[in-house]
Amino acid sequence: MALNDMHDVQDVSQIYDEVSDWHINAGGEKVVAKRLKGRFRNLKWLGMSIWSIFFIGPYLRWDGQQAILFDIPNRQFNLFELTVFPQDIWMLSLTLLFFAILLAAVTSVAGRVFCGYFCFQTVWTDIYTYIETRFEGDTPQKAHKFKQAPWSIDKLWRVSAKHSLWIAIALLTGISFAAWFTDAFALWGDIFTLQAPLPVWISMATFGIFTYVFAGFMREQVCFWLCPYARLQGVMYDQDTVLPAYDAERGEPRGKLKKGQVDTSKGSCIDCKVCVAVCPTGIDIRKGQQEGCITCGMCIDACDSIMDKTDQPRGLIRYASYKELHHDANVLPLYKRPRVIIYSVILLTALAGIMYGFATLSPTEFKVIHNRQPLFVKLSDGSIQNKYTLKLLNKTQQAIEVRYQLSGLEGATLHGMNDQITVEPGKVVPLTALVRVHAEDINKALTSIEFKANVINNPEISTVYESIFMGPK
């Protein structure tokens, strides 16, 4: 090997040793991330705006009632004109499965997008740090200078204003959470008159304290040490996963460069460290993919702005896969990646189940339970009697009037429920029904019969249940 070639190998080795040397900020230093405008910052604001539903959602009204309400005492979930009861819990299970697999699928394709743009810890921390930078400085130097400055009326006012806003947001978070489980407008009156139930105060205290501490003080340390998803992310990546990455081959060796200058002995990175300054977790993306990276893309915006100023093409830091950075020609498209295919099949299956569930959601649920002990009774007049328990759940928001009928068995009569029954919203009224038929009208041991629940005041929601009548062989 030639001497120059040996030097080239040593230089490349030194470069990759440098970029692979990274550490975790264990809380020893406070991260004050600089805010820059850019496309990924705009995407982050867009992702964060989804959480406005958390605050606004409980106040939406539908047909004179709260549009979305998790009514725990009455064991029902009101979603506009639909009411979901515990009997429909399988739809909730599919919904949770859908979002869990969606999280894994997105991570396998583009890394921790949820962490970077949608996670409540990330969002609340971003809001808290924004407030802090408005009062105490938007760079580590300004923040340190403010902290070391002697106490004055101006400093006291700024610190008090910051913590007051933090506490207000924390309390609003707790109240908003409670509002999903009770009438949102009535809730505020109960709070101001100190008449709110105990769960509301617990919600306010729990969410208030944790929001204030986690978003205000612990910040990225929650992601490092408390969030299980941060630990699991590594097993969801593969060599085709696109992540914010530094192109070391193009960027190294680093060196200062003025606008308009060209130095072929140096790489594109001018070692300005702006990518580090804007990172919300304080990592240096130039040292390789790290546990602290939440793939928010803030470093891409920072680097692109520097590339523009130095008249260099963008993309020194960009979303790229391992294969792309290492010039692998066999970068697989999404439809050829096994884990993406598996995730997609599960997602589509869960989504189909959810859509089917909502499309077939009935306003009532009717069940007929046959008494097994005894299977039948032979009466003194020679007729055969079966005993049933009828249960009708009213899933509507109005009381319904029900009358039961029997069909399917010649000569059968229904006893014990000749009167009209009123079923209140969200209630079940169990009734005992006796079905009798003369022995000569039975020609087999099992005969299909139908119970029909006729809803007098709303015939469209009348329902039928198929059961069996048992007699002697």
Side-chain angles (χ1 to χ4, degrees), residues 101-158:
I101 297 301
L102 179 62
L103 188 66
V106 172
T107 302
S108 69
V109 173
R112 295 168 63 182
V113 174
F114 173 77
C115 293
Y117 298 93
F118 305 104
C119 174
F120 43 86
Q121 172 63 22
T122 300
V123 171
W124 266 251
T125 297
D126 197 75
I127 295 172
Y128 270 50
T129 53
Y130 176 79
I131 293 172
E132 183 175 68
T133 57
R134 295 303 92 186
F135 287 103
E136 298 182 2
D138 58 356
T139 65
Q141 295 78 14
K142 292 180 181 179
H144 180 73
K145 181 179 179 181
F146 179 85
K147 184 178 180 181
Q148 297 300 320
W151 282 98
S152 63
I153 295 178
D154 180 68
K155 182 176 181 178
L156 179 62
W157 174 83
R158 290 176 179 273

Side-chain angles (χ1 to χ4, degrees), residues 166-206:
W166 281 7
I167 293 172
I169 294 173
L171 291 177
L172 181 60
T173 302
I175 295 173
S176 298
F177 178 80
W180 290 91
F181 299 90
T182 187
D183 186 271
F185 290 102
L187 174 64
W188 285 96
D190 292 339
I191 291 174
F192 283 117
T193 59
L194 303 181
Q195 299 297 316
L198 181 60
V200 172
W201 301 116
I202 294 176
S203 172
M204 291 176 60
T206 302

Side-chain angles (χ1 to χ4, degrees), residues 19 244-248 251-252 254 269 285-286 316-318 325:
V19 299
Y246 170 66
D247 191 342
E252 303 296 327
R254 306 168 195 169
C269 180
I285 193 65
R286 299 173 300 172
L316 177 60
I317 299 177
R318 63 184 185 274
L325 290 175

Side-chain angles (χ1 to χ4, degrees), residues 42-64:
N42 293 336
L43 285 175
K44 190 177 181 70
W45 283 120
L46 181 62
M48 292 170 58
S49 67
I50 292 178
W51 279 98
S52 61
I53 299 174
F54 173 76
F55 295 99
I56 299 173
Y59 303 96
L60 299 177
R61 313 302 286 182
W62 184 268
D63 197 20

Side-chain angles (χ1 to χ4, degrees), residues 217-358:
F217 299 95
M218 294 188 66
R219 301 181 182 179
E220 76 282 350
Q221 299 305 309
V222 174
C223 305
F224 283 138
W225 310 116
L226 298 182
C227 179
Y229 176 54
R231 302 290 183 176
L232 295 174
Q233 63 162 335
V235 300
M236 301 179 187
Y237 293 171
D238 57 29
Q239 293 187 4
D240 293 292
T241 303
V242 293
L243 303 165
Y246 170 66
D247 191 342
E249 184 175 331
R250 173 188 161 185
E252 303 296 327
R254 306 168 195 169
K256 299 298 182 180
L257 182 69
K258 294 183 180 181
K259 183 176 181 180
Q261 289 184 345
V262 178
D263 188 346
T264 56
S265 66
K266 296 179 181 179
S268 295
C269 180
I270 65 172
D271 203 22
C272 61
K273 295 184 175 60
V274 179
C275 58
V276 181
V278 300
C279 180
T281 59
I283 69 168
D284 188 343
I285 193 65
R286 299 173 300 172
K287 295 182 178 180
Q289 183 58 219
Q290 305 172 40
E291 181 185 358
C293 179
I294 58 175
T295 67
C296 62
M298 298 300 100
C299 54
I300 301 178
D301 283 340
C303 189
D304 284 348
S305 69
I306 299 301
M307 292 297 102
D308 292 343
K309 292 178 180 179
T310 57
D311 293 329
Q312 298 186 78
R314 292 184 172 191
L316 177 60
I317 299 177
R318 63 184 185 274
Y319 265 95
S321 67
Y322 178 89
K323 285 185 177 179
E324 179 186 343
L325 290 175
H326 291 77
H327 307 288
D328 193 314
N330 299 318
V331 176
L332 292 177
L334 291 179
Y335 63 88
K336 289 186 178 181
R337 294 171 60 185
R339 69 173 62 190
V340 174
I341 295 173
I342 295 172
Y343 288 148
S344 299
V345 170
I346 299 175
L347 282 173
L348 291 175
T349 303
L351 183 60
I354 295 168
M355 294 176 63
Y356 171 80
F358 278 106

